[in-house]
Amino acid sequence: INMAEYSSDLLIEVAKGANLDVAMFLEDKASSFVKSSYDADQKIAQEMNISNNPSLVIFDNFNQQFGVLLEDVINCELIEKAFNHANSLDHQSQMPQQKKARSVGKSYLQIIK
């Protein structure tokens, strides 16, 4: 893996490589809204013990207190297994035992109206 040290120049290079409007990207990056949104996302990820990228959390519409967290290798087969077990997401033992899937609680979520 070719690793580069984080810098403003690297960030601009990556933004250009992604064909972003670099000026708008830098403006958005500096905004207080983006910073607070990022902090909120990081807090949720920490509370759910998410440590890998990519990660995907699927919640059951009928029992929204629990979900399944899929990490690292997320593929159609694993997502399908999670959906097939949607009615029993509150019991980790009923989710196929996958190294990259585990039950998570939703008590971290705070909805503000």
Side-chain angles (χ1 to χ4, degrees):
I1 297 176
N2 185 10
M3 302 293 286
E5 188 173 324
Y6 180 84
S7 68
S8 295
D9 290 339
L10 175 63
L11 190 60
I12 291 169
E13 179 183 328
V14 170
K16 286 180 182 177
N19 293 319
L20 298 180
D21 177 336
V22 176
M24 179 61 71
F25 174 76
L26 294 174
E27 182 180 327
D28 287 346
K29 181 182 173 296
S31 78
S32 60
F33 173 75
V34 170
K35 288 178 183 178
S36 64
S37 295
Y38 175 81
D39 290 342
D41 288 349
Q42 291 298 303
K43 182 178 183 213
I44 290 170
Q46 183 179 33
E47 290 172 351
M48 295 178 71
N49 295 316
I50 294 173
S51 59
N52 298 310
N53 185 11
S55 294
L56 171 67
V57 178
I58 300 171
F59 284 101
D60 179 357
N61 284 337
F62 298 108
N63 182 2
Q64 295 187 6
Q65 294 305 307
F66 298 92
V68 174
L69 169 62
L70 308 176
E71 295 181 310
D72 287 337
V73 179
I74 300 171
N75 55 42
C76 290
E77 180 183 347
L78 190 57
I79 293 171
E80 186 176 333
K81 285 180 183 179
F83 276 112
N84 287 340
H85 291 19
N87 291 330
S88 59
L89 289 178
D90 57 329
H91 302 297
Q92 182 175 359
S93 61
Q94 293 180 354
M95 176 63 193
Q97 291 302 311
Q98 296 282 335
K99 191 169 153 183
K100 302 299 181 189
R102 69 178 190 268
S103 295
V104 293
K106 196 172 179 183
S107 59
Y108 72 90
L109 186 59
Q110 179 181 14
I111 300 172
I112 300 172
K113 292 184 180 184

